[in-house]
mmCIF file of all heavy atoms in Angstrom:
data_model
loop_
_atom_site.group_PDB
_atom_site.id
_atom_site.type_symbol
_atom_site.label_atom_id
_atom_site.label_comp_id
_atom_site.label_asym_id
_atom_site.label_seq_id
_atom_site.Cartn_x
_atom_site.Cartn_y
_atom_site.Cartn_z
ATOM 1 N N MET A 406 19.210 -4.243 21.823
ATOM 2 C CA MET A 406 19.139 -3.547 20.540
ATOM 3 C C MET A 406 20.506 -3.522 19.865
ATOM 4 O O MET A 406 20.616 -3.777 18.659
ATOM 5 C CB MET A 406 18.606 -2.125 20.747
ATOM 6 C CG MET A 406 17.157 -2.075 21.227
ATOM 7 S SD MET A 406 16.677 -0.465 21.920
ATOM 8 C CE MET A 406 16.629 0.555 20.439
ATOM 9 N N ASN A 407 21.541 -3.222 20.630
ATOM 10 C CA ASN A 407 22.890 -3.221 20.066
ATOM 11 C C ASN A 407 23.293 -4.611 19.580
ATOM 12 O O ASN A 407 23.918 -4.772 18.524
ATOM 13 C CB ASN A 407 23.899 -2.714 21.101
ATOM 14 C CG ASN A 407 23.974 -1.193 21.158
ATOM 15 O OD1 ASN A 407 23.838 -0.521 20.141
ATOM 16 N ND2 ASN A 407 24.195 -0.653 22.350
ATOM 17 N N LYS A 408 22.928 -5.615 20.336
ATOM 18 C CA LYS A 408 23.248 -6.987 19.939
ATOM 19 C C LYS A 408 22.521 -7.355 18.652
ATOM 20 O O LYS A 408 23.098 -7.982 17.750
ATOM 21 C CB LYS A 408 22.871 -7.953 21.061
ATOM 22 C CG LYS A 408 23.197 -9.411 20.741
ATOM 23 C CD LYS A 408 22.834 -10.320 21.915
ATOM 24 C CE LYS A 408 23.146 -11.779 21.602
ATOM 25 N NZ LYS A 408 22.766 -12.671 22.730
ATOM 26 N N LEU A 409 21.261 -6.946 18.549
ATOM 27 C CA LEU A 409 20.472 -7.273 17.367
ATOM 28 C C LEU A 409 21.037 -6.604 16.120
ATOM 29 O O LEU A 409 21.102 -7.218 15.042
ATOM 30 C CB LEU A 409 19.012 -6.859 17.579
ATOM 31 C CG LEU A 409 18.041 -7.121 16.424
ATOM 32 C CD1 LEU A 409 17.992 -8.603 16.089
ATOM 33 C CD2 LEU A 409 16.641 -6.608 16.782
ATOM 34 N N SER A 410 21.452 -5.362 16.241
ATOM 35 C CA SER A 410 21.964 -4.637 15.077
ATOM 36 C C SER A 410 23.383 -5.064 14.711
ATOM 37 O O SER A 410 23.828 -4.857 13.579
ATOM 38 C CB SER A 410 21.941 -3.131 15.331
ATOM 39 O OG SER A 410 22.898 -2.772 16.306
ATOM 40 N N GLY A 411 24.103 -5.620 15.681
ATOM 41 C CA GLY A 411 25.484 -5.995 15.438
ATOM 42 C C GLY A 411 26.446 -4.833 15.521
ATOM 43 O O GLY A 411 27.612 -4.945 15.145
ATOM 44 N N HIS A 412 25.949 -3.701 16.024
ATOM 45 C CA HIS A 412 26.778 -2.502 16.168
ATOM 46 C C HIS A 412 26.553 -1.916 17.563
ATOM 47 O O HIS A 412 25.482 -2.071 18.146
ATOM 48 C CB HIS A 412 26.413 -1.452 15.121
ATOM 49 C CG HIS A 412 26.467 -1.952 13.712
ATOM 50 N ND1 HIS A 412 27.640 -2.199 13.049
ATOM 51 C CD2 HIS A 412 25.473 -2.265 12.839
ATOM 52 C CE1 HIS A 412 27.378 -2.627 11.823
ATOM 53 N NE2 HIS A 412 26.074 -2.682 11.677
ATOM 54 N N GLU A 413 27.534 -1.212 18.070
ATOM 55 C CA GLU A 413 27.397 -0.529 19.358
ATOM 56 C C GLU A 413 27.101 0.948 19.108
ATOM 57 O O GLU A 413 27.807 1.841 19.570
ATOM 58 C CB GLU A 413 28.680 -0.701 20.185
ATOM 59 C CG GLU A 413 28.951 -2.128 20.626
ATOM 60 C CD GLU A 413 27.942 -2.638 21.663
ATOM 61 O OE1 GLU A 413 27.481 -1.834 22.486
ATOM 62 O OE2 GLU A 413 27.628 -3.846 21.631
ATOM 63 N N LEU A 414 26.018 1.200 18.376
ATOM 64 C CA LEU A 414 25.685 2.573 17.997
ATOM 65 C C LEU A 414 24.824 3.277 19.032
ATOM 66 O O LEU A 414 24.730 4.508 19.030
ATOM 67 C CB LEU A 414 24.954 2.576 16.648
ATOM 68 C CG LEU A 414 25.694 2.005 15.440
ATOM 69 C CD1 LEU A 414 24.813 2.091 14.199
ATOM 70 C CD2 LEU A 414 27.006 2.744 15.214
ATOM 71 N N LEU A 415 24.176 2.513 19.910
ATOM 72 C CA LEU A 415 23.200 3.081 20.833
ATOM 73 C C LEU A 415 23.822 3.316 22.200
ATOM 74 O O LEU A 415 24.446 2.421 22.779
ATOM 75 C CB LEU A 415 21.991 2.152 20.954
ATOM 76 C CG LEU A 415 21.290 1.801 19.627
ATOM 77 C CD1 LEU A 415 20.187 0.780 19.862
ATOM 78 C CD2 LEU A 415 20.731 3.059 18.971
ATOM 79 N N SER A 416 23.597 4.513 22.710
ATOM 80 C CA SER A 416 24.118 4.902 24.023
ATOM 81 C C SER A 416 22.987 4.881 25.041
ATOM 82 O O SER A 416 21.977 5.583 24.862
ATOM 83 C CB SER A 416 24.728 6.308 23.943
ATOM 84 O OG SER A 416 24.879 6.864 25.223
ATOM 85 N N LEU A 417 23.143 4.102 26.094
ATOM 86 C CA LEU A 417 22.122 4.048 27.134
ATOM 87 C C LEU A 417 21.859 5.415 27.750
ATOM 88 O O LEU A 417 20.694 5.814 27.853
ATOM 89 C CB LEU A 417 22.525 3.035 28.211
ATOM 90 C CG LEU A 417 21.634 2.997 29.461
ATOM 91 C CD1 LEU A 417 20.199 2.665 29.107
ATOM 92 C CD2 LEU A 417 22.193 2.000 30.479
ATOM 93 N N PRO A 418 22.882 6.176 28.175
ATOM 94 C CA PRO A 418 22.604 7.489 28.769
ATOM 95 C C PRO A 418 21.847 8.423 27.823
ATOM 96 O O PRO A 418 20.957 9.169 28.257
ATOM 97 C CB PRO A 418 24.000 8.031 29.091
ATOM 98 C CG PRO A 418 24.838 6.819 29.255
ATOM 99 C CD PRO A 418 24.325 5.847 28.246
ATOM 100 N N ASP A 419 22.177 8.383 26.533
ATOM 101 C CA ASP A 419 21.526 9.275 25.576
ATOM 102 C C ASP A 419 20.060 8.894 25.385
ATOM 103 O O ASP A 419 19.172 9.753 25.388
ATOM 104 C CB ASP A 419 22.274 9.213 24.239
ATOM 105 C CG ASP A 419 21.847 10.327 23.294
ATOM 106 O OD1 ASP A 419 21.476 11.410 23.783
ATOM 107 O OD2 ASP A 419 21.887 10.108 22.072
ATOM 108 N N ILE A 420 19.793 7.598 25.225
ATOM 109 C CA ILE A 420 18.406 7.164 25.062
ATOM 110 C C ILE A 420 17.610 7.407 26.339
ATOM 111 O O ILE A 420 16.455 7.858 26.304
ATOM 112 C CB ILE A 420 18.362 5.676 24.650
ATOM 113 C CG1 ILE A 420 18.926 5.525 23.228
ATOM 114 C CG2 ILE A 420 16.946 5.127 24.737
ATOM 115 C CD1 ILE A 420 19.003 4.104 22.736
ATOM 116 N N GLN A 421 18.230 7.145 27.487
ATOM 117 C CA GLN A 421 17.547 7.389 28.759
ATOM 118 C C GLN A 421 17.186 8.860 28.924
ATOM 119 O O GLN A 421 16.078 9.192 29.355
ATOM 120 C CB GLN A 421 18.427 6.932 29.917
ATOM 121 C CG GLN A 421 17.740 7.010 31.277
ATOM 122 C CD GLN A 421 18.559 6.326 32.346
ATOM 123 O OE1 GLN A 421 19.794 6.288 32.292
ATOM 124 N NE2 GLN A 421 17.892 5.744 33.323
ATOM 125 N N ARG A 422 18.109 9.740 28.552
ATOM 126 C CA ARG A 422 17.845 11.175 28.654
ATOM 127 C C ARG A 422 16.647 11.583 27.799
ATOM 128 O O ARG A 422 15.769 12.326 28.249
ATOM 129 C CB ARG A 422 19.084 11.961 28.213
ATOM 130 C CG ARG A 422 18.878 13.480 28.169
ATOM 131 C CD ARG A 422 20.053 14.181 27.524
ATOM 132 N NE ARG A 422 20.303 13.707 26.163
ATOM 133 C CZ ARG A 422 19.595 14.074 25.103
ATOM 134 N NH1 ARG A 422 18.549 14.919 25.246
ATOM 135 N NH2 ARG A 422 19.889 13.610 23.900
ATOM 136 N N GLN A 423 16.585 11.077 26.564
ATOM 137 C CA GLN A 423 15.491 11.438 25.664
ATOM 138 C C GLN A 423 14.147 10.917 26.167
ATOM 139 O O GLN A 423 13.132 11.621 26.091
ATOM 140 C CB GLN A 423 15.778 10.888 24.259
ATOM 141 C CG GLN A 423 16.970 11.531 23.582
ATOM 142 C CD GLN A 423 17.239 10.904 22.224
ATOM 143 O OE1 GLN A 423 16.661 11.289 21.213
ATOM 144 N NE2 GLN A 423 18.117 9.899 22.193
ATOM 145 N N ILE A 424 14.136 9.690 26.677
ATOM 146 C CA ILE A 424 12.874 9.138 27.170
ATOM 147 C C ILE A 424 12.428 9.856 28.436
ATOM 148 O O ILE A 424 11.232 10.161 28.610
ATOM 149 C CB ILE A 424 12.996 7.620 27.410
ATOM 150 C CG1 ILE A 424 13.302 6.892 26.097
ATOM 151 C CG2 ILE A 424 11.713 7.071 28.026
ATOM 152 C CD1 ILE A 424 13.475 5.393 26.240
ATOM 153 N N GLN A 425 13.362 10.148 29.330
ATOM 154 C CA GLN A 425 12.995 10.880 30.549
ATOM 155 C C GLN A 425 12.442 12.250 30.220
ATOM 156 O O GLN A 425 11.460 12.701 30.840
ATOM 157 C CB GLN A 425 14.214 10.996 31.469
ATOM 158 C CG GLN A 425 14.586 9.692 32.161
ATOM 159 C CD GLN A 425 15.863 9.805 32.966
ATOM 160 O OE1 GLN A 425 16.694 10.686 32.729
ATOM 161 N NE2 GLN A 425 16.056 8.890 33.926
ATOM 162 N N ALA A 426 13.040 12.929 29.252
ATOM 163 C CA ALA A 426 12.537 14.242 28.844
ATOM 164 C C ALA A 426 11.121 14.119 28.292
ATOM 165 O O ALA A 426 10.246 14.939 28.600
ATOM 166 C CB ALA A 426 13.468 14.857 27.803
ATOM 167 N N ARG A 427 10.906 13.086 27.491
ATOM 168 C CA ARG A 427 9.574 12.861 26.953
ATOM 169 C C ARG A 427 8.578 12.539 28.063
ATOM 170 O O ARG A 427 7.461 13.055 28.098
ATOM 171 C CB ARG A 427 9.662 11.717 25.935
ATOM 172 C CG ARG A 427 8.323 11.330 25.278
ATOM 173 C CD ARG A 427 7.754 10.101 25.949
ATOM 174 N NE ARG A 427 6.534 9.652 25.298
ATOM 175 C CZ ARG A 427 5.542 9.037 25.920
ATOM 176 N NH1 ARG A 427 5.615 8.810 27.242
ATOM 177 N NH2 ARG A 427 4.467 8.635 25.266
ATOM 178 N N ASP A 428 8.979 11.699 29.010
ATOM 179 C CA ASP A 428 8.088 11.291 30.097
ATOM 180 C C ASP A 428 7.698 12.464 30.992
ATOM 181 O O ASP A 428 6.572 12.496 31.530
ATOM 182 C CB ASP A 428 8.729 10.191 30.931
ATOM 183 C CG ASP A 428 8.632 8.814 30.262
ATOM 184 O OD1 ASP A 428 8.056 8.726 29.156
ATOM 185 O OD2 ASP A 428 9.125 7.833 30.852
ATOM 186 N N ARG A 429 8.590 13.429 31.173
ATOM 187 C CA ARG A 429 8.255 14.587 32.015
ATOM 188 C C ARG A 429 7.091 15.384 31.434
ATOM 189 O O ARG A 429 6.350 16.034 32.175
ATOM 190 C CB ARG A 429 9.469 15.497 32.180
ATOM 191 C CG ARG A 429 10.577 14.916 33.054
ATOM 192 C CD ARG A 429 11.660 15.936 33.344
ATOM 193 N NE ARG A 429 12.796 15.292 33.997
ATOM 194 C CZ ARG A 429 13.939 14.967 33.372
ATOM 195 N NH1 ARG A 429 14.086 15.252 32.083
ATOM 196 N NH2 ARG A 429 14.902 14.369 34.038
ATOM 197 N N GLU A 430 6.953 15.325 30.110
ATOM 198 C CA GLU A 430 5.876 16.077 29.455
ATOM 199 C C GLU A 430 4.498 15.484 29.757
ATOM 200 O O GLU A 430 3.476 16.132 29.546
ATOM 201 C CB GLU A 430 6.103 16.080 27.938
ATOM 202 C CG GLU A 430 7.409 16.734 27.499
ATOM 203 C CD GLU A 430 7.396 18.243 27.689
ATOM 204 O OE1 GLU A 430 6.523 18.916 27.120
ATOM 205 O OE2 GLU A 430 8.276 18.747 28.418
ATOM 206 N N ILE A 431 4.469 14.257 30.235
ATOM 207 C CA ILE A 431 3.192 13.605 30.553
ATOM 208 C C ILE A 431 2.625 14.135 31.870
ATOM 209 O O ILE A 431 1.421 14.019 32.140
ATOM 210 C CB ILE A 431 3.385 12.069 30.644
ATOM 211 C CG1 ILE A 431 3.918 11.520 29.309
ATOM 212 C CG2 ILE A 431 2.093 11.357 31.010
ATOM 213 C CD1 ILE A 431 2.976 11.656 28.149
ATOM 214 N N ASP A 432 3.468 14.757 32.698
ATOM 215 C CA ASP A 432 3.062 15.157 34.046
ATOM 216 C C ASP A 432 2.039 16.282 34.082
ATOM 217 O O ASP A 432 1.408 16.502 35.108
ATOM 218 C CB ASP A 432 4.286 15.581 34.865
ATOM 219 C CG ASP A 432 5.107 14.377 35.330
ATOM 220 O OD1 ASP A 432 4.523 13.292 35.469
ATOM 221 O OD2 ASP A 432 6.323 14.543 35.544
ATOM 222 N N HIS A 433 1.899 17.018 32.994
ATOM 223 C CA HIS A 433 1.020 18.197 33.018
ATOM 224 C C HIS A 433 0.227 18.283 31.716
ATOM 225 O O HIS A 433 0.508 17.580 30.749
ATOM 226 C CB HIS A 433 1.855 19.463 33.221
ATOM 227 C CG HIS A 433 3.071 19.550 32.349
ATOM 228 N ND1 HIS A 433 3.031 19.911 31.029
ATOM 229 C CD2 HIS A 433 4.372 19.260 32.614
ATOM 230 C CE1 HIS A 433 4.241 19.878 30.513
ATOM 231 N NE2 HIS A 433 5.083 19.477 31.449
ATOM 232 N N ALA A 434 -0.753 19.152 31.712
ATOM 233 C CA ALA A 434 -1.636 19.279 30.550
ATOM 234 C C ALA A 434 -0.982 20.049 29.411
ATOM 235 O O ALA A 434 -1.497 20.073 28.299
ATOM 236 C CB ALA A 434 -2.941 19.964 30.957
#
Side-chain angles (χ1 to χ4, degrees):
M406 294 163 71
N407 277 325
K408 181 178 180 181
L409 179 59
S410 69
H412 305 287
E413 293 292 326
L414 300 180
L415 304 175
S416 163
L417 173 59
D419 192 31
I420 292 177
Q421 186 170 31
R422 175 189 58 78
Q423 294 178 86
I424 298 179
Q425 287 175 338
R427 179 260 184 210
D428 281 359
R429 289 188 189 102
E430 299 289 302
I431 301 295
D432 284 334
H433 47 78

